[in-house]
Amino acid sequence: MNATAPGILSLVREDLRDFAGYSSARSARLDGEIWLNANESAWANIADPDAACRRYPDPQPAALCEALAGLYGVQPAQLVVGRGSDEAIDLLVRATCHPGRDAVLVTPPVFGMYAVSARLQGAPLVEVSLRDDARAGLVPDFAAIEREAPARAAKLVFLCSPSNPGGAAIALDDIARLARRLAGRALVVVDEAYGEFSDLASATTLLNALPNLVVLRTLSKAHALAAARIGVAIAAPELIAVLRRCQAPYPVPGPVARIGIQALSPAAREATAARIAQVRSERERLRGALTGLAGVRRVYPSQANFLLVRFDDAGAAFDALLEAGIVVRDQRGAAALHDALRITIGTPEQNDRVIEVLSGLGSHAGRGATAPAGTMEGTG
């Protein structure tokens, strides 16, 4: 870890730098035969005959942390495991932002939980809209971010790579340049919920050189464990230690830790890699099939497991798909996306149905529903 890493604590709220947090019954490393220290039941529930859930779990299960560290190429001390990436986002905002003073910078249209966490903390929200590049798609306006972050006292700058819902990935050089420009003033948080589907290397490769960088990862997408809610923040160990102390007790249920460990076995990772390759292939096939269809205005390039598509009549497209039993994400309430839908890459057969429905889009013209007031993107 970079020698300047301890200085990262200057970005943590002053009142939390020495905060001890809650000391649970599992925090102390004790050995014994009869455990009477946590007021747990001495008997198993009838629904839990193996008594696997009778006792409180390890707050940061060692085997799961080791498996995740191996997956992401970092040390266990560099990550905190929580209830999906959502918890990591909330922990970062609470640990760094004084209400009413320290701002959170986001790049709409983007995943909505960054703004929600800022609102709940009372942190001012700074929005620097993505640029719509003719070739690259929706990309960050780095010149504006570099200007607005210090001017508006932003403590956190959230970047989504690949972006949701745009699908574009951010070059590591651009991330590194921004982190250096904001060193000592803000944390640059790169949300890589869809990173497995990208051609670009992970921003975790920059961590040793850039102490003010944080990377978010999740098992919800490529690893098909959305209901398990396993996400991590990866950063300098000094910052991770603070986030762990700010975390509510027992964030990783025992059954969740067990399935997470099983999902990261060599055989499971091999199967996941095969699924990722299929998604990437189907993504390009679907993009090619939709491009040029009547009623389809633009299909954005994507490094994720979805496509953002603009339509002449997005309401009609949404209704036609729904009529065929296909549910996609209506983006019309999101910033600058009044004519767009987000379509997750499905199985080849499911993608064939999407193509079939949208190929006949002309017959559905004029039947668009009213655009929703707002949207919330799914994450890790």
Side-chain angles (χ1 to χ4, degrees):
M1 186 56 57
N2 189 292
T4 61
I8 201 67
L9 296 182
S10 66
L11 297 175
V12 174
R13 284 170 40 188
E14 297 92 332
D15 55 322
L16 294 182
R17 291 173 194 169
D18 297 320
F19 178 57
Y22 174 73
S23 180
S24 70
R26 291 292 172 266
S27 299
R29 300 298 179 184
L30 302 172
D31 290 320
E33 180 181 351
I34 300 173
W35 290 82
L36 304 177
N37 68 329
N39 300 334
E40 300 151 327
S41 173
W43 300 271
N45 188 287
I46 191 171
D48 180 32
D50 296 328
C53 293
R54 182 166 66 87
R55 299 206 179 276
Y56 288 109
D58 186 335
Q60 293 288 296
L64 179 60
C65 289
E66 289 280 355
L68 288 165
L71 177 67
Y72 299 129
V74 299
Q75 297 300 313
Q78 288 178 270
L79 60 82
V80 57
V81 188
R83 304 163 181 89
S85 298
D86 299 322
E87 184 178 24
I89 293 164
D90 186 61
L91 285 172
L92 285 163
V93 174
R94 287 193 288 118
T96 62
C97 294
H98 285 277
R101 188 184 83 184
D102 301 314
V104 172
L105 188 149
V106 299
T107 58
V110 75
F111 174 54
M113 275 307 297
Y114 314 137
V116 168
S117 293
R119 176 71 180 273
L120 291 172
Q121 181 66 5
L125 187 69
V126 179
E127 295 184 327
V128 177
S129 297
L130 297 174
R131 294 187 299 105
D132 198 342
D133 183 86
R135 294 188 61 183
L138 295 169
V139 295
D141 185 343
F142 282 102
I145 294 171
E146 290 176 13
R147 180 178 64 250
E148 292 298 312
R152 304 282 294 276
K155 270 287 191 71
L156 293 171
V157 173
F158 282 100
L159 301 176
C160 198
S161 180
S163 71
N164 178 12
I170 303 173
L172 294 188
D173 286 348
D174 291 331
I175 293 170
R177 186 178 305 108
L178 179 65
R180 291 190 187 100
R181 295 277 176 86
L182 298 180
R185 293 180 289 185
L187 294 175
V188 175
V189 184
V190 183
D191 189 342
E192 293 184 344
Y194 303 94
E196 289 88 348
F197 304 103
S198 174
D199 295 331
L200 302 187
S202 170
T204 54
T205 58
L206 303 174
L207 286 170
N208 286 345
L210 299 167
N212 65 323
L213 184 65
V214 181
V215 180
L216 306 181
R217 298 298 295 254
T218 179
L219 300 189
S220 294
K221 309 298 183 182
H223 294 269
L225 292 181
R229 310 304 301 127
I230 301 174
V232 298
I234 309 171
E238 295 80 6
L239 178 61
I240 292 301
V242 172
L243 298 182
R244 288 183 179 184
R245 295 196 297 269
C246 292
Q247 197 171 33
Y250 312 118
V252 187
V256 168
R258 288 189 286 276
I259 195 171
I261 294 166
Q262 293 167 8
L264 298 179
S265 69
R269 287 177 61 172
E270 184 177 350
T272 296
R275 286 197 301 267
I276 291 169
Q278 185 174 27
V279 167
R280 287 159 60 100
S281 175
E282 282 294 297
R283 179 183 69 201
E284 298 314 307
R285 182 176 78 89
L286 184 59
R287 184 177 183 229
L290 297 184
T291 300
L293 285 183
V296 175
R297 184 176 300 158
R298 183 180 182 188
V299 184
Y300 282 78
S302 176
Q303 293 279 314
N305 69 333
F306 55 81
L307 293 171
L308 181 68
V309 186
R310 290 190 186 270
F311 295 87
D312 291 336
D313 189 340
F318 183 85
D319 287 350
L321 289 164
L322 192 58
E323 212 170 275
I326 302 167
V327 183
V328 299
R329 192 66 164 197
D330 194 341
Q331 293 291 333
R332 289 175 294 158
L337 296 179
H338 63 280
D339 57 356
L341 305 177
R342 191 194 67 194
I343 304 173
T344 302
I345 307 302
T347 66
E349 296 75 20
Q350 291 169 345
N351 299 331
D352 286 341
R353 288 183 62 188
V354 170
I355 295 166
E356 180 183 1
V357 172
L358 294 181
S359 294
L361 196 59
S363 63
H364 297 271
R367 298 171 54 202
T370 302
T375 59
M376 181 67 68
E377 306 302 334
T379 188

